[in-house]
Amino acid sequence: MFDLLQYTFIQNALAAAILASVACGIIGAYVVVKKIVFISGGIAHASFGGVGLGYYLGINPMYGVLPFSLLAALVMGTVSKKSKIPEDSAIGILWSLGMALGVIFVYLTPGYAPDLMTYLFGNILTVPRIDLYLMLALDLIIVGAVYLFYKEFLALCFDEEFTTVQGVPTEKLYLFLLCIIALTIVVLIKVVGIILVIALLTIPATLSRKFTNNLKHMMLISIAFGTAISVTGIGLSYALDVPSGATIILVLSLVYGFVAVGMDMFEGRRVSNS
Amino acid sequence: MEKVIELEDVWVRYGNQTILEAINLELKEPNGLLGIIGPNGGGKTTFLKVLLGLLKPYKGSVKIFGKSPEKSRDLVGYVPQYKGFDFDFPISVWEVVLTGRMSHTGFLKKYSEEDKKAAEEALRTVEMFQLKDRQIGQLSGGQRQRVFIARALATNPKLLLLDEPNSGLDPHMQDELYRLLDRLKHEMAVIMVTHDLSAVSVYVDRIACLNRTLHYHNSREIPAEDLEATYQCPVELIAHGVPHRVLEQHKGSS
């Protein structure tokens, strides 16, 4: 097993797993407690338009995804709050609009889009070094923003109206949080792909919620779970020669299932004993 | 002296529906409890949101302590209606109460020693300091309501606004709540909106009726016509062990 660590692609994969777990552990906690899973999924899927744009312009698709996902976050955040149609309908429309744009861009691009599937479903075993640097830079921005705005984000997620009354510009702060989520999605795309991103944003955070009542601890436990599980997933996917992104999600879901059922049984027994 | 509240001809509309119509209200006294009663959908929450600057009236002027609602936010404490809250949220009593200090702390700064002192004092006032490390979902309804009052008190308000603070509380907890408000009203102006008529019977100093329009007489008694106009049907107030009548004697009744 340790011979594997000599391979650069395995080293890169492990680095990517850790960088992704840090981002999804911290931001996933906000996504789960603020109950904005759907809008986060919307931003992720809409950012496929950025992948298509990248191919069309002949640049690294990651550089197309970055601005496109930020734009998607701002538009979705604004439209879902301001428009007269229900928030989930607005998100649904923009979700598919972004994907449709991506499909058209890819179609218009001459030739064959070779690694399109890795953007949709991820392939952590092929992450190039340049993408790792991008992921590291985004991680630093995410950690820095949460460090600076921890008090404001906590208040915003718990009670938006009261926080407004306290003089905090909550509308802008919410858009900012969505932008940080967009950056997190960019970090995660190479690991599990656009389609599966939402699993990394929800499962580690939901799992860690079972072990603590404190948001900060929730973030740290999420990071630990995310790292352990994605490394296990990489190992399994290499050993069994199956897609890495989907394997990571399967391991996550299995662990969550066992923990949830196990804790329910344990608590049930405790109640019946008392 | 600065008036606590000064509303002049305030109108609020959602779409083409008028929620508040020509509201005039002047509250000069810096202390005391004003109860605002009215049916559900009568605009009570909207009225509070106007005072908080969360809703802009399309006509009329709103002054809180002589300033716009946005500029007087560090003087106003707010206890929202807590239905629809997520009590599974991973936040402790202490963290909740500290958020009441944000208008003082400022953006991007850590809570100061002064903030922590104010939060502690607020928790002691509502007798919840010993439970400060509890997660918010591990409290009873009455305890939770006191935590939300502590969060509002942490602001050091001169005006305290409460939206249906008695809903979901059993009679014993309601009684505790009113006794707490009875103490607080000596230190600040308190406004409580409720649809529960008997709730306001004992402890209020002033009472107003709100159902799109506001009837206010700067007294603790409501003319029966006002109450009937508000509820659009004859209402007799039934309250137990009340030291005074809120209603005038109905004409013709003994």
Side-chain angles (χ1 to χ4, degrees):
Chain A
M1 186 74 194
F2 285 102
D3 323 336
L4 277 177
L5 292 174
Q6 292 165 0
Y7 295 114
T8 318
F9 75 96
I10 290 286
Q11 290 167 4
N12 286 356
L14 292 177
I18 293 166
L19 291 171
S21 299
V22 169
C24 78
I26 295 173
I27 301 307
Y30 286 124
V31 170
V32 166
V33 300
K34 180 118 178 84
K35 300 192 166 63
I36 44 176
V37 174
F38 190 55
I39 195 167
S40 307
I43 295 168
H45 282 76
S47 65
F48 182 67
V51 175
L53 188 65
Y55 277 115
Y56 183 69
L57 297 176
I59 56 173
N60 181 345
M62 292 296 273
Y63 297 128
V65 172
L66 188 56
F68 210 90
S69 64
L70 287 173
L71 183 73
L74 290 174
V75 173
M76 277 199 199
T78 313
V79 171
S80 63
K81 290 260 160 168
K82 304 261 174 188
S83 81
K84 294 228 159 47
I85 58 171
E87 182 173 357
D88 59 341
S89 308
I91 294 167
I93 292 166
L94 291 164
W95 170 314
S96 28
L97 173 68
M99 291 214 84
L101 282 174
V103 172
I104 298 288
F105 280 132
V106 170
Y107 175 78
L108 290 177
T109 307
Y112 171 68
D115 47 358
L116 186 62
M117 287 291 274
T118 68
Y119 291 97
L120 286 174
F121 298 104
N123 189 350
I124 201 169
L125 298 174
T126 63
V127 178
R129 184 135 289 206
I130 179 82
D131 286 2
L132 284 181
Y133 291 134
L134 178 67
M135 289 169 76
L136 178 64
L138 294 179
D139 262 15
L140 290 176
I141 296 173
I142 291 164
V143 172
V146 171
Y147 178 77
L148 284 176
F149 287 94
Y150 183 80
K151 145 169 111 25
E152 282 78 10
F153 280 153
L154 178 66
L156 173 86
C157 293
F158 179 62
D159 189 344
E160 201 162 329
E161 188 182 59
F162 185 83
T163 309
T164 311
V165 173
Q166 288 295 306
V168 175
T170 42
E171 279 183 20
K172 284 181 199 139
L173 196 65
Y174 177 62
L175 287 181
F176 182 59
L177 179 61
L178 291 183
C179 286
I180 300 289
I181 292 172
L183 296 184
T184 307
I185 287 164
V186 177
V187 174
L188 301 181
I189 278 179
K190 277 287 171 169
V191 180
V192 289
I194 284 167
I195 311 275
L196 301 177
V197 145
I198 216 63
L200 274 189
L201 280 176
T202 50
I203 301 175
T206 314
L207 195 55
S208 66
R209 178 68 185 89
K210 293 191 168 293
F211 296 92
T212 177
N213 284 323
N214 177 294
L215 187 65
K216 245 178 234 171
H217 297 165
M218 207 174 139
M219 292 172 175
L220 295 173
I221 298 173
S222 277
I223 293 174
F225 270 129
T227 309
I229 292 173
S230 48
V231 169
T232 311
I234 292 169
L236 279 176
S237 92
Y238 182 83
L240 304 173
D241 196 20
V242 285
S244 59
T247 311
I248 291 172
I249 306 294
L250 281 179
V251 177
L252 270 174
S253 305
L254 276 176
V255 170
Y256 181 79
F258 278 121
V259 171
V261 172
M263 282 182 101
D264 281 355
M265 275 168 60
F266 180 71
E267 267 167 25
R269 209 174 51 205
R270 220 169 37 186
V271 170
S272 60
N273 280 351
S274 64
Chain B
M1 215 180 101
E2 209 98 87
K3 287 171 191 142
V4 178
I5 289 177
E6 205 178 356
L7 297 187
E8 256 177 70
D9 193 28
V10 169
W11 293 65
V12 174
R13 278 184 178 167
Y14 281 130
N16 51 9
Q17 207 187 351
T18 303
I19 309 292
L20 295 177
E21 185 180 319
I23 306 278
N24 288 292
L25 176 67
E26 208 179 80
L27 198 65
K28 287 184 200 148
E29 299 79 1
N31 299 321
L33 174 55
L34 165 65
I36 298 181
I37 56 170
N40 285 323
K44 297 191 299 298
T45 300
T46 305
F47 177 76
L48 287 186
K49 287 188 175 176
V50 167
L51 296 184
L52 289 161
L54 291 170
L55 270 179
K56 285 253 168 292
Y58 85 92
K59 196 177 149 202
S61 95
V62 182
K63 290 259 187 305
I64 312 289
F65 297 107
K67 291 179 284 189
S68 72
E70 287 85 359
K71 292 217 172 97
S72 52
R73 274 172 173 162
D74 53 343
L75 299 173
V76 181
Y78 174 41
V79 183
Q81 243 183 97
Y82 71 85
K83 61 183 177 195
F85 250 86
D86 172 23
F87 292 122
D88 197 37
F89 197 99
I91 192 168
S92 68
V93 167
W94 180 244
E95 288 171 309
V96 169
V97 175
L98 272 176
T99 63
R101 291 297 300 171
M102 292 183 83
S103 60
H104 294 265
T105 321
F107 219 47
L108 294 182
K109 296 204 188 95
K110 300 269 166 223
Y111 291 117
S112 66
E113 281 309 308
E114 195 196 333
D115 293 330
K116 288 173 190 163
K117 228 188 250 167
E120 181 180 337
E121 203 182 309
L123 274 171
R124 290 197 189 280
T125 304
V126 301
E127 290 163 23
M128 286 292 291
F129 188 69
Q130 71 284 3
L131 296 178
K132 71 180 170 64
D133 296 321
R134 283 270 182 95
Q135 189 260 335
I136 189 83
Q138 299 168 340
L139 302 174
S140 71
Q143 290 173 328
R144 222 177 268 153
Q145 190 59 276
R146 280 192 279 162
V147 169
F148 286 126
I149 292 173
R151 178 177 69 166
L153 292 179
T155 310
N156 285 335
K158 289 186 172 160
L159 170 64
L160 181 64
L161 305 175
L162 301 106
D163 193 355
E164 304 266 8
N166 46 332
S167 69
L169 301 187
D170 65 36
H172 171 70
M173 290 194 282
Q174 289 196 17
D175 199 49
E176 269 185 9
L177 170 76
Y178 295 135
R179 269 183 287 156
L180 173 62
L181 295 182
D182 199 41
R183 273 193 287 140
L184 294 174
K185 75 178 190 186
H186 297 292
E187 294 156 39
M188 62 195 78
V190 181
I191 297 181
M192 172 175 77
V193 308
T194 178
H195 67 270
D196 181 5
L197 284 170
S198 59
V200 295
S201 52
V202 189
Y203 297 107
V204 294
D205 302 298
R206 286 171 279 278
I207 194 160
C209 300
L210 180 68
N211 189 7
R212 213 177 62 186
T213 55
L214 185 80
H215 299 270
Y216 175 61
H217 300 283
N218 198 12
S219 82
R220 59 197 301 176
E221 280 165 20
I222 327 162
E225 310 91 77
D226 278 6
L227 201 60
E228 288 184 16
T230 299
Y231 282 88
Q232 288 165 351
C233 62
V235 180
E236 172 71 86
L237 188 67
I238 301 161
H240 304 281
V242 183
H244 74 277
R245 282 187 77 89
V246 174
L247 280 175
E248 287 179 332
Q249 291 281 343
H250 278 220
K251 287 181 196 81
S253 67
S254 54

